[in-house]
Amino acid sequence: QIDDMTGEEMPRLIALLLNAGAVDAYFQAISMKKGRPGQLLTILCNEKDIKAVSKILFLHSSTFGLRWQKMNRTVLDRHWESVDTPWGSVRIKIGSYEGIVMTRSPEYEDVANCADAHGVSLKAVMNSAIAATLDLK
């Protein structure tokens, strides 16, 4: 919990933490003692990256300490494919579990670039990209 950094400072800190090896990092507005506004910073990283992530946190935030706990994580196997849509190529992240495709997620930047270039909605490009993945393994 951090009560003496502004919301404007937090996005840079998040970017630095991700570059240092954090798997994910985010902050939430919270109320602290005496009703002071603060930020709850959550960082997820692999055990091997704790030292590098801690260094970034101490160097680029106002905190005097951090609490950490060890957790397990289960993730889908993932790979990337490119598919063609009527508006251009879109990369798709495909997540599988025990060899079965569970989810398909179009790369947002690719979708946005196609939509902007052709004056169509994000949803149209996204739906087209997902439909194009149905035959992919």
Side-chain angles (χ1 to χ4, degrees), residues 44-82:
L44 305 175
C45 70
N46 291 311
E47 198 167 359
K48 68 179 180 57
D49 297 315
I50 290 174
K51 189 171 183 173
V53 167
S54 295
K55 184 175 181 177
I56 292 297
L57 187 61
F58 290 132
L59 186 61
H60 296 282
S61 81
S62 61
T63 193
F64 276 75
L66 64 114
R67 295 177 189 98
W68 63 272
Q69 60 187 7
K70 192 171 182 176
M71 302 177 101
N72 294 316
R73 182 174 180 233
T74 302
V75 299
L76 295 176
D77 294 325
R78 52 191 93 179
H79 70 279
W80 289 89
E81 298 279 348
S82 288

Side-chain angles (χ1 to χ4, degrees), residues 75-124:
V75 299
L76 295 176
D77 294 325
R78 52 191 93 179
H79 70 279
W80 289 89
E81 298 279 348
S82 288
V83 297
D84 292 322
T85 73
W87 307 282
S89 182
V90 173
R91 288 172 293 159
I92 304 279
K93 182 169 40 175
I94 300 173
S96 302
Y97 186 75
E98 296 181 346
I100 300 168
V101 172
M102 298 290 172
T103 190
R104 297 165 174 86
S105 181
E107 178 61 34
Y108 176 81
E109 293 299 326
D110 292 357
V111 171
N113 289 339
C114 289
D116 291 346
H118 296 279
V120 297
S121 70
L122 290 171
K123 189 173 183 176

Side-chain angles (χ1 to χ4, degrees), residues 2-5 28-39:
I2 300 173
D3 66 359
D4 56 355
M5 286 181 66
Q28 299 168 277
I30 59 171
S31 294
M32 298 185 63
K33 63 184 172 191
K34 299 181 183 177
R36 290 194 311 264
Q39 310 287 339

